[in-house]
Amino acid sequence: MNSQLQIKGVVMGIENQEKEILLSNVNVFWLGSTIGTVTNEQGQFSIPYQTEFKKLVVQYIGYRTDTIYANRPNLGIIRLRNNTELEEVVVRKKVNPLQKSLFDVQNVVTVNSREMLKAACCNLSESFETNPSVDVNISDAITGAKQIQMLGLNSPYLLFTQENMPSIRGASQIYGLSFVPGSWIESIQITKGAGNVLNGFESISGQINTELVKPFTDKRFFLNLYANNFERYEFNTRYNHIISEKWATGLYLHGNLRNGEIDRNTDSFLDTPLANQVNVMNRWQYLDTEKGWVGFLNLQFLDDEKQTGQVLFNPSTDRFTSNAWGSEVNTQRLDVSGKVGYVFPELPYQSIGFQAAYSDHKQDSYYGLNEYDILHRSFYSNAIFNSILGSTQHKFKTGVSFTYDVFDENVNGGDLQRTDNSLGTFFEYTYDSLEKLSLVAGLRLDHGNRLSTFITPRLHMRYSLWDKASLRGSVGKGKRAANIFSENQQLFASARQINIIDNGGSIYGLNPEVAWNFGAGFVQKLYVWNRTMELSLDFYRTSFQNQVIIDWENPREISFYNLIGKSYANSFQFDFNYEIVQNLDLRATYKNYDVMIDYLSERLQKPLQPEHRVFLNLNYETLKKSEGAQWRIDFTFNWLGKQRIPSTELNPIEFRFSDFSPSFSILNFQVTRVFSNQFEVYLGGENITNYTQNIPILGSDDPFGSFFDSTLSFAPVLEATYYLGLRYKINTD
């Protein structure tokens, strides 16, 4: 919880005794320590509060160094006077908005809010368009829901957390990524491999944590408007108010509307759903740097409505009839979460924290003649104690956690109810040496009413081979209950029959999933022709001891059963990052996936998973002029190799797909004109090469027939999308 205690301010330089300019890359550090930070391009800084230090040193070449007494969370504007006795050479370098640290023990990529401005980024599912660590796919040709993958595995094997509390899980697994507006996000931490034991036992392929903007350090007012050529409109705004030195609050509002009936491929089905969403959050922050207390309280309500299906479908007259095929998904969700932390004033390395979250998720939906409703109530709590063993090189965290979930599902009239709970304790030891070896070793002991009693071990190691080079390794175990209906809702948009092969387990007659994840990675940072180059590669293997197999190989049905045999996912990734010329950055990534599953019929490659992927990103920014004016230009290229398509051999020849999809590429771009530190306009395009799947829906001319299937999607349905938007902000004083 100590990382949440922040002191902030803005540094400006005084030129010729009157002109003031914002200063970036100013060194700000605690007097008598090596703990520091630098200001960003707007002159802003935020530094973790340290109880044992009271004064901040503000230092910049060509200006007189100043020392500030940090007696409040917001220091306001700090002005440095020009040192006229010095002739200076000023070197400016922007901070990379996508960071991979040499010193983190885990393989973590940190994405800040600047990176998310490179794309439309209207919600979390669209926040990874310029990030090669995560793959973004479309789950089916009807719902338009974007799903993400990591290490060759689908999103249910990822642990999603919001400020380190589990968030997108259970009923929200399919649509939950669209419930987090991108403008609310301060940063994203993407961790490959098994996560740490503090956040639970469910992480198998990785963890994605989102940090929301903080009322004390966020802009006073922010507005983002967006519109595209497919009649999608978005409204995002935030307003923050600092009530006192200890209290601040923020009100965040998001709304979107998609009311265009788009059918460019003339298959009689909408290419993108009709939708509207209202999403509002009130966030409170408490900060007492003198006594060491920090706390957050979030209250959020969401109402989301989607309609898709045939263009002629009218819900008021055609619902549950064969007049026209249609679908509606209506979701209401309430979230209440809070956390409080205390740092011992005389022992700054020691702290205690408590987290709690409650959610009520209600979804009423139908897909053609299939009905699916789910009510999911969830409670989560976690208590953590941090301290050291002898010295700050040896740290530990320990605590207890409790989760309680109530599921009530209606699947075509069948009522499925269950209650899951688990109580666990954990201990995590960290040995931290910036010179050579660092490690994090954790162990959990949990007992669940459906998962029994089990142990979850995790180990992460980092070793500095030589200057600016790190070698990492990790191993960890994960366990989870598969919610087969909420995680695979696309099955309802087909004529497939549901087949569950009961194994005597406690979750839909199935046993929980258990997997080990092993990984290793290497990072090298170099200076080539006076510019930074970064090379990295990593390899991960996920090996399942038990898995709920989702078998699409019979086009007449979808089968769920427990693994008999082997299932594994091998992932290899190579990254190359380089600043070609000043302010022109290149990111290049190659990925290879080997994902094999033993089905009841035979061992097959995982369907709809490219074996090869190539990612390229070019970003250029002009030098900032007065008042922050500049141009930002971004191009992103994705190439996806062929994908195996689930077998359609049992269908008549006119309802068959090839065994493999063709390879294809997608090109996105965005141009942003920043007029000032307050106002900017952006114009962009997605899939501007206009590549779409030729036949996205089998049997679209007979949606109530035996061969109707919208689940075999390997490429976009929407043609080129062009969008326009603006951002306006007012900074705090």
Side-chain angles (χ1 to χ4, degrees):
M1 303 294 293
N2 190 28
S3 62
Q4 301 296 334
L5 292 162
Q6 300 285 324
I7 302 293
K8 68 165 188 172
V10 177
V11 181
M12 300 190 73
I14 300 177
E15 298 278 350
N16 300 323
Q17 298 184 348
E18 55 182 24
K19 182 181 178 182
E20 294 186 352
I21 60 172
L22 294 170
L23 297 179
S24 61
N25 273 359
V26 177
N27 292 311
V28 182
F29 57 91
W30 290 106
L31 181 64
S33 81
T34 59
I35 302 170
T37 185
V38 295
T39 59
N40 63 17
E41 295 177 352
Q42 285 76 45
Q44 300 168 339
F45 71 87
S46 180
I47 187 170
Y49 172 70
Q50 302 291 327
T51 309
E52 68 270 38
F53 303 117
K54 300 298 182 184
K55 294 182 178 180
L56 282 173
V57 178
V58 185
Q59 187 179 69
Y60 192 60
I61 296 174
Y63 289 81
R64 298 175 188 174
T65 300
D66 201 356
T67 303
I68 307 297
Y69 183 64
N71 59 354
R72 58 189 187 279
N74 187 353
L75 299 178
I77 297 176
I78 301 169
R79 294 174 173 86
L80 299 183
R81 293 192 175 275
N82 185 283
N83 190 342
T84 57
E85 298 178 359
L86 291 176
E87 293 199 7
E88 59 186 287
V89 175
V90 179
V91 179
R92 300 180 187 270
K93 180 69 176 74
K94 65 180 184 296
V95 177
N96 194 328
L98 196 152
Q99 294 277 350
K100 183 178 289 187
S101 172
L102 289 170
F103 302 109
D104 283 336
V105 180
Q106 293 179 287
N107 187 355
V108 180
V109 175
T110 300
V111 183
N112 69 21
S113 56
R114 278 182 56 223
E115 177 68 21
M116 290 183 282
L117 297 179
K118 294 180 179 181
C121 192
C122 296
N123 57 58
L124 183 59
S125 70
E126 298 166 329
S127 300
F128 304 101
E129 301 290 346
T130 62
N131 187 339
S133 300
V134 175
D135 302 324
V136 182
N137 298 317
I138 297 175
S139 63
D140 61 275
I142 286 185
T143 67
K146 288 188 176 181
Q147 299 297 296
I148 65 173
Q149 296 182 338
M150 186 181 291
L151 308 186
L153 296 174
N154 293 340
S155 57
Y157 297 108
L158 280 163
L159 174 63
F160 292 95
T161 57
Q162 184 170 287
E163 301 192 324
N164 289 310
M165 289 182 281
S167 57
I168 301 170
R169 56 189 295 272
S172 62
Q173 188 64 245
I174 287 292
Y175 300 109
L177 289 170
S178 66
F179 297 163
V180 184
S183 67
W184 295 4
I185 300 172
E186 180 181 75
S187 64
I188 303 174
Q189 294 79 45
I190 304 169
T191 303
K192 284 188 175 182
N196 57 43
V197 295
L198 276 70
N199 300 125
F201 49 80
E202 294 182 326
S203 170
I204 291 177
S205 64
Q207 177 177 340
I208 294 181
N209 179 62
T210 57
E211 289 289 330
L212 304 182
V213 293
K214 314 293 190 295
F216 263 122
T217 55
D218 188 27
K219 302 168 183 64
R220 176 185 294 177
F221 177 77
F222 176 85
L223 173 67
N224 178 36
L225 301 177
Y226 165 97
N228 72 21
N229 59 315
F230 291 126
E231 300 182 50
R232 173 180 173 180
Y233 309 99
E234 302 240 354
F235 169 86
N236 294 279
T237 190
R238 307 192 304 267
Y239 176 75
N240 294 285
H241 178 61
I242 297 177
I243 301 172
S244 67
E245 288 191 353
K246 296 181 181 180
W247 282 98
T249 185
L251 181 64
Y252 310 149
L253 178 64
H254 167 87
N256 68 62
L257 174 67
R258 285 176 284 181
N259 59 359
E261 296 183 347
I262 310 298
D263 180 22
R264 296 290 176 82
N265 58 13
T266 65
D267 63 356
S268 81
F269 278 77
L270 294 171
D271 296 340
T272 183
L274 307 176
N276 64 79
Q277 181 187 119
V278 176
N279 198 343
V280 61
M281 180 172 69
N282 183 210
R283 183 162 164 81
W284 291 81
Q285 182 179 4
Y286 177 80
L287 183 63
D288 187 340
T289 56
E290 290 293 327
K291 296 183 179 180
W293 286 98
V294 62
F296 289 91
L297 175 65
N298 297 338
L299 306 170
Q300 182 179 356
F301 176 77
L302 171 137
D303 185 272
D304 183 83
E305 298 179 353
K306 297 182 178 68
Q307 178 191 325
T308 189
Q310 290 185 291
V311 177
L312 297 177
F313 177 75
N314 184 342
S316 61
T317 58
D318 300 334
R319 176 177 175 173
F320 292 130
T321 74
S322 57
N323 298 337
W325 196 99
S327 168
E328 288 185 289
V329 180
N330 298 327
T331 304
Q332 290 187 331
R333 182 178 174 93
L334 173 68
D335 286 276
V336 181
S337 64
K339 58 182 179 179
V340 61
Y342 175 71
V343 180
F344 291 79
E346 303 303 321
L347 303 170
Y349 50 79
Q350 187 167 289
S351 65
I352 189 168
F354 178 73
Q355 304 169 321
Y358 171 79
S359 65
D360 186 299
H361 183 111
K362 184 176 186 295
Q363 175 186 317
D364 296 322
S365 56
Y366 61 91
Y367 302 83
L369 300 180
N370 290 316
E371 185 176 13
Y372 180 68
D373 303 325
I374 181 170
L375 175 63
H376 178 194
R377 294 190 174 98
S378 177
F379 175 77
Y380 166 84
S381 62
N382 197 18
I384 308 170
F385 176 73
N386 300 262
S387 192
I388 63 172
L389 298 170
S391 72
T392 55
Q393 271 194 326
H394 304 274
K395 306 181 184 73
F396 74 88
K397 298 178 181 179
T398 188
V400 294
S401 60
F402 175 72
T403 60
Y404 184 83
D405 294 282
V406 177
F407 295 91
D408 187 355
E409 295 176 281
N410 168 28
V411 183
N412 289 327
D415 192 17
L416 304 173
Q417 296 181 348
R418 79 174 200 269
T419 299
D420 298 352
N421 61 67
S422 68
L423 177 66
T425 183
F426 57 86
F427 182 87
E428 183 178 86
Y429 164 75
T430 300
Y431 172 72
D432 191 4
S433 170
L434 296 180
E435 294 182 358
K436 286 295 181 180
L437 176 68
S438 298
L439 64 86
V440 177
L443 192 70
R444 286 190 65 95
L445 175 64
D446 290 275
H447 174 76
N449 64 323
R450 296 184 185 275
L451 301 181
S452 71
T453 302
F454 59 98
I455 293 176
T456 304
R458 305 272 171 85
L459 175 64
H460 302 268
M461 301 180 68
R462 179 199 63 85
Y463 186 77
S464 295
L465 296 172
W466 50 77
D467 185 39
K468 294 185 175 16
S470 287
L471 180 67
R472 291 183 176 88
S474 67
V475 59
K477 188 179 183 181
K479 189 172 186 177
R480 65 179 296 272
N483 294 287
I484 59 175
F485 296 114
S486 63
E487 296 170 3
N488 299 278
Q489 292 187 44
Q490 68 269 31
L491 72 89
F492 296 115
S494 72
R496 294 173 181 262
Q497 299 299 309
I498 300 172
N499 179 28
I500 301 176
I501 301 178
D502 196 317
N503 196 42
S506 59
I507 308 156
Y508 307 105
L510 302 170
N511 291 321
E513 299 186 292
V514 181
W516 283 88
N517 184 281
F518 310 85
F522 171 78
V523 179
Q524 172 73 71
K525 295 187 178 182
L526 305 164
Y527 286 100
V528 179
W529 298 304
N530 294 322
R531 302 192 187 281
T532 302
M533 176 186 292
E534 182 180 295
L535 302 173
S536 66
L537 57 88
D538 56 57
F539 176 81
Y540 286 87
R541 178 180 176 88
T542 306
S543 181
F544 285 90
Q545 290 183 324
N546 200 359
Q547 186 179 18
V548 174
I549 304 300
I550 306 166
D551 191 339
W552 302 84
E553 299 308 312
N554 183 339
R556 301 280 58 75
E557 65 183 28
I558 177 172
S559 296
F560 299 97
Y561 51 85
N562 280 120
L563 174 68
I564 300 175
K566 291 186 177 182
S567 176
Y568 63 84
N570 295 331
S571 168
F572 171 79
Q573 179 170 331
F574 172 75
D575 294 300
F576 171 82
N577 301 329
Y578 185 62
E579 186 179 21
I580 301 172
V581 297
Q582 185 177 10
N583 292 333
L584 176 61
D585 296 310
L586 168 69
R587 295 179 194 155
T589 297
Y590 167 73
K591 297 181 184 180
N592 176 264
Y593 295 118
D594 175 24
V595 186
M596 303 297 293
I597 302 171
D598 280 349
Y599 294 97
L600 292 180
S601 56
E602 58 182 317
R603 178 174 295 183
L604 293 169
Q605 177 185 347
K606 178 188 171 184
L608 305 177
Q609 171 67 64
E611 183 179 356
H612 305 280
R613 297 185 76 132
V614 174
F615 170 94
L616 294 172
N617 176 262
L618 277 172
N619 173 253
Y620 177 71
E621 298 183 5
T622 62
L623 293 175
K624 282 194 173 183
K625 297 181 180 180
S626 61
E627 298 298 322
Q630 70 170 167
W631 287 91
R632 296 196 297 259
I633 304 172
D634 191 90
F635 284 91
T636 302
F637 171 83
N638 278 284
W639 178 84
L640 287 75
K642 65 179 183 179
Q643 306 170 49
R644 188 183 74 82
I645 299 176
S647 175
T648 53
E649 288 186 2
L650 296 180
N651 285 348
I653 192 169
E654 65 270 25
F655 297 107
R656 293 181 189 174
F657 274 145
S658 301
D659 292 338
F660 287 88
S661 72
S663 60
F664 64 93
S665 59
I666 296 175
L667 182 63
N668 302 336
F669 83 93
Q670 180 174 285
V671 177
T672 302
R673 173 55 177 167
V674 181
F675 293 95
S676 68
N677 291 322
Q678 286 76 41
F679 182 67
E680 60 188 62
V681 174
Y682 57 94
L683 170 69
E686 298 175 346
N687 189 24
I688 62 175
T689 52
N690 220 30
Y691 185 86
T692 57
Q693 187 168 334
N694 186 30
I695 303 177
I697 302 175
L698 281 180
S700 60
D701 57 344
D702 184 17
F704 296 98
S706 302
F707 307 107
F708 174 69
D709 196 346
S710 69
T711 65
L712 306 178
S713 294
F714 60 83
V717 176
L718 270 182
E719 295 179 343
T721 302
Y722 296 97
Y723 59 85
L724 178 68
L726 63 85
R727 303 184 184 99
Y728 176 74
K729 53 197 172 185
I730 300 176
N731 293 322
T732 55
D733 294 332

